[in-house]
Amino acid sequence: QGIDNAFWNCKLMVYGDGIQAFKPLAGGLDIAGHEMTHGVTQFSAGLNYINESGALNEAFSDIFGTIIEFYAKPSSANWLVGNEIGVTLRSMSNPNAYGNPDTYGGTNWYVGSGDNGGVHTNSGVANYWFYLLTMGGSGTNDLGSSFNVSGISIEKSRMIAYRTLTNYLFPTSNYADARFYSILSAIDLYGACS
Ligand code: 0ZN
Ligand code: ZN
């Protein structure tokens, strides 16, 4: 009671009932998906919940939480995490809007020991990866590299994300590993040069 949060404790999920702005957290489909994905990650890649591996762990929870929302509620689904409970915590389409980075080492990239090394902050980079892969987009990132990505649809992007998480990543995987193995997963699924 009186908790504005939800978590997976390695065995079970806990959902707060929300205090003022927060409605009961079990009411958010993306939140439930986020917490359940922590269980999937624990028993597959086992990403350590600290620093870059922890940021990837967090991102996969946001990614599958959002995939579940799009699957179950296609007409109202969105790229925000938590808006169904009255408070938006993160944006996958624009991580900067909530103080998180969209670029590795870019604006808002967290260096420090809080929040297990910024796991809920640096997740923004992989969240934005999944958004771009799905929806496409173009621009110049914080490091001055321009990009132009054609979205491949969530039906395909979710397969790449799931294969990366469950077939390849391991407890100490970092962002460079995620890059390498997500490309490998895409090749496995859709062919070289796809
Ligand atoms: C975290 C687990 C938080 C937790 C950890 C709670 C240990 C108690 C013991 C997670 O599953 O990664 N909860 C999610 C989260 O992103 C819940 C979201 C999906 C609704 N929490 C963030 C955090 O704890 C954001 C957040 C939620 C927050 N409620 C808050 C931030 C209240 C500030 C105040 O940072
Ligand atoms: Zn989480």
Side-chain angles (χ1 to χ4, degrees), residues 4-8 22 25 30-31 34-35 38 49 58 62 81-82 85 89-90 115 120:
D4 270 346
N5 220 327
F7 59 95
W8 163 260
F22 286 63
L25 280 86
D30 54 355
I31 295 173
H34 178 109
E35 303 307 337
H38 278 310
Y49 203 63
E58 264 309 303
D62 283 348
V81 176
I85 55 142
L89 297 165
R90 293 180 285 275
D115 188 31
H120 294 94

Side-chain angles (χ1 to χ4, degrees), residues 59-134:
F60 279 107
S61 275
D62 283 348
I63 289 167
F64 285 104
T66 295
I67 290 168
I68 289 163
E69 189 179 318
F70 273 96
Y71 180 82
K73 294 183 176 177
S75 57
S76 63
N78 57 63
W79 294 91
L80 303 173
V81 176
N83 65 303
E84 287 170 293
I85 55 142
V87 177
T88 300
L89 297 165
R90 293 180 285 275
S91 167
M92 298 178 68
S93 57
N94 182 12
N96 284 177
Y98 293 86
N100 303 317
D102 62 19
T103 302
Y104 185 88
T107 305
N108 297 324
W109 179 261
Y110 182 84
V111 182
S113 58
D115 188 31
N116 289 101
V119 295
H120 294 94
T121 302
N122 293 342
S123 53
V125 173
N127 280 350
Y128 192 55
W129 162 75
F130 186 74
Y131 170 79
L132 276 182
L133 181 65
T134 305

